[in-house]
């Protein structure tokens, strides 16, 4: 595909899934019989267009690969002039292929998973909307267009998380995700205001070009506002509380949110805004700290979850923490952040689809303590889930080995106390990841079957082909994607024109670091095996556990913290403002009205219609005036 053809067809990437969403939503029940097929076909068509554009981009010289197209004038208001346009460069191309490729496989899987749902057509409409919004986000050539896609992703996530609205837990989870993300969105809105006030424009070209002339204080404020936005969308501390509850939606939603779309948006925002963070070292430190804290936070929470989807959700939080940590390292980590994002898109999608397959065969049971021994009755699910497991813990030659290990090495490469602290956190996170993911594997697929003890005994069975084939293809990606992206610095060279080139420092030889990481991973696997494979697993979680386990079961008291520090004070502030409104503003307004009413009532009594009363009033008035005149003359 030529440059001109690519420019003229850029709108098709988000336009095709957006068309599907519009047709399915406006068509209503008339599209029920074929709506899922239309939604899937348009997602695949968007992927085909993206693949053709990728082939054309590869065939061109490096300096000619990025293309852009202005569709129309969007905001011509005073000094603010914003065009609605798209740009496709090496960074956005990575996301286009991930979103449309993995997203299309999730669509296909959903055909089988949602087969019995009467609202399947509406579900596919929301899936299409999700893809379209995410594609607008990564293709926009300015921050206002990015903000449009950002809010579209938030809307689509709200609709999908709360898809089963008849469940109070699903409705509550959707509202929670929506509210928490709005907190982060405030950061992006303020960032837009800072950009306009400082640069007069919000396009990437103008902002990045003018960043060198802006003060460090301005860039620091801008960086922290962008970080706040990223924390909300990518579920990073302190805005991580919505992610676990979001599992109330159908499992394909979890795969789409966690692997290909929503939670990757924050990482994209930070990497895309690299020229800002590179000139704001304090904001860059903030990014690193958030990533390091979150990767440990999510890993610890994942160790205590018995719900298979919530364990994987905590895992996502932790893995996104690795990406944010890498992005905070600047040019030394940008490419590694994107590499881990891409490999994570495969193995985490595979893990969630595998979890959905298990639920499909277990009457929607999610408690892993009621699983066990499923490898023999669900062999394809076991094999594909196992590939994802090996990839996420970083066993060579699976994808995670090639993408997570470089992040740990780059963290140690910072040197000094900073490198030791960051590298130690990332290394510890790798060991904990190995522990909780081995726990998930053992509780689900190994040991004695425990589903016989349930009140409604399920009859586990392998999922139909429409579900297993996407799982197999994603498993293949979990095996080969790491080597394809990492060998010879393929992805680093590909992204260099966008994120810059940087040779990471190595405090220890790469082979030695690899051995250390693998040893830590082996220790995590061994501890989990000893704890859950060598001992009987209780069907009901024991109560006599450590304080750390109790805290992890309660998400390290994240909700309690938000309630005490943010919600309760917010309620008191709101109550105070309401009191001021009612007793102050409304009180004054009402008081003036009451005074006028009372005065009018009294004055109205003088108008009684009796002539003698009016004559007496006139006489009294004349006498008063005469008396005053006489007094004045005497003086």
């Amino acid at each position: 595909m030529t440059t001109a053809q690519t420019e003229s067809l850029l709108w098709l990437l988000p336009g095709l899934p957006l068309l599907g969403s519009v047709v399915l939503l406006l068509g209503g029940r008339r599209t029920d019989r074929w709506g899922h097929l239309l939604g899937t076909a348009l997602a695949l068509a968007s992927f085909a267009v993206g693949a053709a554009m990728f082939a054309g981009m590869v065939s061109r010289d490096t300096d000619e690969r990025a293309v852009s197209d202005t569709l129309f004038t969007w905001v011509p208001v005073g000094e603010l002039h914003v065009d609605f346009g798209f740009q496709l460069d090496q960074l956005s191309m990575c996301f286009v292929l991930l979103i449309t490729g993995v997203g299309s496989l999730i669509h296909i899987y959903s055909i089988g998973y949602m087969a019995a749902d009467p609202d399947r057509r509406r579900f596919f409409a929301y899936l299409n909307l999700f893809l379209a919004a995410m594609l607008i986000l990564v293709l926009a050539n300015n921050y206002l267009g990015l903000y449009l896609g950002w809010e579209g992703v938030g809307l689509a996530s709200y609709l999908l998380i709360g898809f089963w609205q008849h469940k109070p837990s699903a409705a509550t989870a959707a509202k929670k995700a929506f509210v928490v993300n709005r907190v982060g969105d405030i950061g992006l809105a303020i960032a837009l205001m800072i950009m306009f006030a400082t640069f007069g424009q919000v396009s990437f070209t103008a902002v990045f070009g003018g960043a060198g002339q802006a003060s460090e204080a301005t860039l620091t404020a801008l960086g922290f506002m962008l970080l706040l936005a990223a924390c909300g969308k990518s579920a990073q501390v302190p805005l991580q509380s919505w992610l676990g509850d979001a599992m109330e939606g159908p499992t394909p939603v979890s795969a789409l949110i966690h692997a290909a779309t929503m939670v990757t948006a924050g990482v994209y925002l930070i990497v895309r805004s690299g020229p800002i963070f590179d000139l704001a070292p304090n904001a860059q430190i903030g990014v690193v700290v958030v990533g390091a804290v979150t990767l440990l936070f999510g890993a610890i929470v994942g160790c205590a979850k018995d719900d298979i989807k919530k364990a994987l959700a905590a895992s996502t939080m932790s893995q996104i923490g690795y990406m944010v940590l890498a992005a905070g390292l600047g040019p030394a980590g940008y490419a590694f952040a994107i590499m881990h994002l891409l490999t994570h898109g495969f193995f985490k999608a595979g893990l969630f689809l595998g979890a959905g397959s298990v639920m499909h065969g277990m009457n929607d049971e999610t408690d892993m303590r009621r699983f066990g021994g499923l490898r023999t009755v669900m062999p394809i699910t076991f094999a594909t889930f196992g590939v994802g497991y090996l990839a996420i813990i970083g066993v060579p030659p699976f994808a995670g080995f090639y993408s997570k290990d470089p992040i740990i090495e780059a963290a140690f490469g910072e040197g000094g106390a900073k490198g030791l602290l960051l590298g130690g956190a990332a290394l510890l996170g790798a060991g904990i990841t190995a522990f909780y993911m081995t726990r998930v594997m053992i509780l689900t697929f190994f040991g004695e079957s425990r589903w016989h003890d349930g009140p409604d005994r399920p009859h586990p069975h392998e999922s139909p082909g429409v579900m297993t084939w996407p799982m197999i293809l994603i498993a293949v990606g979990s095996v080969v994607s790491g080597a394809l992206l990492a060998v010879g610095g393929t992805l680093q060279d590909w992204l260099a024109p966008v994120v810059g080139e940087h040779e990471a420092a190595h405090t220890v030889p790469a082979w030695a670091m690899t051995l250390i990481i693998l040893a830590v991973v082996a220790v995590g696997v061994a501890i989990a095996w000893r704890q859950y494979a060598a001992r009987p697993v209780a069907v009901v979680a024991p109560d006599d556990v450590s304080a750390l386990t109790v805290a992890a079961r309660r998400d390290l008291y994240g909700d309690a913290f938000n309630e005490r520090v943010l919600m309760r004070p917010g309620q008191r502030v709101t109550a105070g403002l309401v009191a001021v409104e009612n007793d102050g503003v409304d009180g004054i307004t009402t008081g003036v009205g009451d005074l006028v009413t009372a005065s009018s009532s009294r004055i109205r009594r003088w108008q009684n219609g009796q002539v003698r009363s009016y004559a007496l009033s006139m006489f009294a008035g004349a006498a008063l005036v005469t008396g005053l005149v006489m007094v004045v003359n005497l003086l």
Side-chain angles (χ1 to χ4, degrees):
M1 187 176 288
T2 65
T3 301
Q5 290 173 327
T6 302
E7 290 176 350
S8 62
L9 296 178
L10 271 178
W11 64 272
L12 280 177
L13 289 170
L16 289 170
L18 183 60
L19 173 64
S21 179
V22 171
V23 170
L24 296 182
L25 289 175
L26 296 183
R29 292 294 180 184
R30 291 170 292 180
T31 64
D32 278 354
R33 288 185 298 174
W34 45 266
H36 56 288
L37 299 178
L38 176 66
T40 302
L42 289 176
L44 286 168
S46 183
F47 172 69
V49 172
M53 290 180 177
F54 173 70
M57 182 178 287
V58 171
S59 66
R60 296 193 293 271
D61 293 335
T62 300
D63 56 352
E64 297 178 353
R65 287 176 174 169
V67 297
S68 61
D69 182 42
T70 299
L71 299 181
F72 53 85
T73 297
W74 190 14
V75 183
V77 180
E79 298 180 3
L80 179 62
H81 183 92
V82 181
D83 293 328
F84 188 88
F86 294 138
Q87 72 173 31
L88 184 66
D89 57 18
Q90 290 87 334
L91 176 60
S92 52
M93 176 57 79
C94 291
F95 282 84
V96 166
L97 295 178
L98 175 68
I99 295 164
T100 58
V102 175
S104 295
L105 292 176
I106 293 172
H107 274 68
I108 296 172
Y109 176 95
S110 300
I111 293 175
Y113 190 88
M114 300 293 290
D117 196 297
D119 289 322
R120 180 170 62 170
R121 179 262 317 164
R122 181 165 57 89
F123 180 77
F124 276 82
Y126 294 162
L127 288 184
N128 274 194
L129 178 62
F130 215 140
L131 293 193
M134 190 67 190
L135 287 167
I136 291 173
L137 190 159
V138 300
L139 287 171
N141 61 5
N142 61 78
Y143 280 98
L144 190 60
L146 185 152
Y147 187 76
L148 174 65
W150 193 271
E151 293 299 326
V153 167
L155 171 62
S157 67
Y158 170 78
L159 296 173
L160 285 169
I161 294 170
F163 182 75
W164 287 324
Q165 300 174 18
H166 59 275
K167 297 169 55 179
S169 57
T172 300
K175 289 186 288 185
K176 183 176 182 180
F178 191 83
V179 170
V180 174
N181 272 272
R182 296 294 74 73
V183 175
D185 293 353
I186 291 174
L188 187 53
I190 295 175
L192 283 166
M193 299 174 192
I194 295 175
M195 290 174 192
F196 176 63
T198 305
F199 309 109
Q201 300 183 54
V202 294
S203 68
F204 295 150
T205 302
V207 172
F208 300 156
Q213 286 73 49
S215 67
E216 183 174 328
T218 298
L219 294 176
T220 299
L222 182 56
F224 274 112
M225 290 300 100
L226 293 173
L227 175 59
L228 177 62
C231 286
K233 202 65 73 182
S234 292
Q236 299 293 283
V237 172
L239 300 179
Q240 81 293 340
S241 62
W242 66 270
L243 195 62
D245 297 83
M247 298 304 98
E248 291 293 336
T251 300
V253 174
S254 303
L256 193 62
I257 288 177
H258 289 249
T261 55
M262 186 168 179
V263 295
T264 64
V267 180
Y268 170 79
L269 178 65
I270 295 173
V271 174
R272 175 63 77 185
S273 305
I276 295 172
F277 286 99
D278 292 341
L279 297 173
N282 290 330
Q284 207 167 47
I285 291 174
V287 174
V288 169
V289 170
V290 166
V293 170
T294 305
L295 75 88
L296 290 176
F297 189 105
I300 293 171
V301 170
C303 293
K305 293 297 182 182
D306 293 329
D307 185 308
I308 186 171
K309 290 176 65 177
K310 291 192 175 183
L312 294 177
S315 169
T316 296
M317 189 191 308
S318 179
Q319 297 306 307
I320 299 295
Y322 275 102
M323 302 173 206
V324 172
L325 169 61
L329 299 177
Y334 289 143
F336 296 143
I338 300 302
M339 185 186 301
H340 195 50
L341 186 151
L342 296 175
T343 61
H344 178 266
F346 284 103
F347 61 70
K348 185 51 63 66
L351 290 170
F352 268 110
L353 296 187
S357 181
V358 170
M359 293 168 58
H360 184 268
M362 291 289 292
N363 295 346
D364 288 330
E365 178 64 68
T366 60
D367 188 346
M368 293 183 292
R369 292 183 177 274
R370 296 191 178 276
F371 292 164
L374 292 179
R375 70 185 186 281
T376 57
V377 293
M378 305 183 71
I380 298 177
T381 299
F382 167 65
T384 55
F385 195 97
V387 168
Y389 157 71
L390 294 172
I392 193 173
I393 68 174
V395 173
F398 297 90
F401 168 76
Y402 293 98
S403 60
K404 187 162 62 176
D405 284 22
I407 295 176
I408 300 174
E409 294 175 19
F412 276 112
E414 290 292 292
K418 178 182 178 183
L420 187 62
L421 187 62
L422 295 178
L427 183 60
L428 178 60
I432 301 175
T433 299
F435 171 81
Y436 71 74
M437 285 306 305
T438 303
R439 176 179 180 267
V440 170
M441 280 295 295
I442 293 172
L443 291 179
T444 303
F445 296 103
F446 291 90
E448 297 294 328
S449 60
R450 298 180 297 278
W451 64 80
H452 303 290
D453 300 326
D456 298 320
R457 177 180 174 180
H459 298 280
H461 55 276
E462 189 59 87
S463 298
V466 72
M467 295 173 62
T468 56
W469 274 109
M471 292 160 57
I472 293 171
L473 293 175
I474 287 174
V476 172
S478 299
V479 176
V480 304
S481 61
L484 290 177
L485 295 172
V487 173
T490 302
L491 186 65
Q492 289 174 272
D493 294 339
W494 173 261
L495 292 175
V498 181
V499 303
E501 299 181 8
H502 183 82
E503 187 68 27
H506 296 281
T507 55
V508 297
W511 63 267
M513 181 58 66
T514 297
L515 291 178
I516 293 172
I517 296 171
L518 289 177
V520 172
V521 168
V523 170
V525 171
I527 295 174
W529 187 266
R530 177 179 178 274
Q531 184 73 23
Y532 296 100
R535 303 175 183 178
V537 176
V539 178
V540 179
D543 294 328
D544 54 336
V545 294
S546 66
L548 180 59
T549 302
V550 173
R553 287 177 179 175
R554 299 178 181 177
D555 298 333
L556 297 182
Y557 303 108
D559 285 335
F561 174 84
N562 290 339
E563 180 176 348
R564 177 165 296 185
V565 176
L566 301 175
M567 192 185 82
R568 296 302 179 192
Q571 287 178 331
R572 288 194 287 270
V573 170
T574 302
L577 293 175
V578 170
V580 170
E581 173 73 15
N582 292 337
D583 300 335
V585 177
D586 285 354
I588 293 173
T589 304
T590 304
V592 171
D594 291 343
L595 177 61
V596 172
T597 300
S599 301
S600 301
S601 298
R602 290 182 175 85
I603 294 174
R604 187 168 60 246
R605 295 173 184 174
W606 298 351
Q607 307 298 320
N608 53 20
Q610 297 181 2
V611 176
R612 60 178 180 272
S613 298
Y614 297 160
L616 180 60
S617 299
M618 294 171 62
F619 177 77
L624 178 62
V625 170
T626 302
L628 289 174
V629 171
M630 292 177 63
V631 170
V632 170
N633 289 333
L634 291 174
L635 294 177

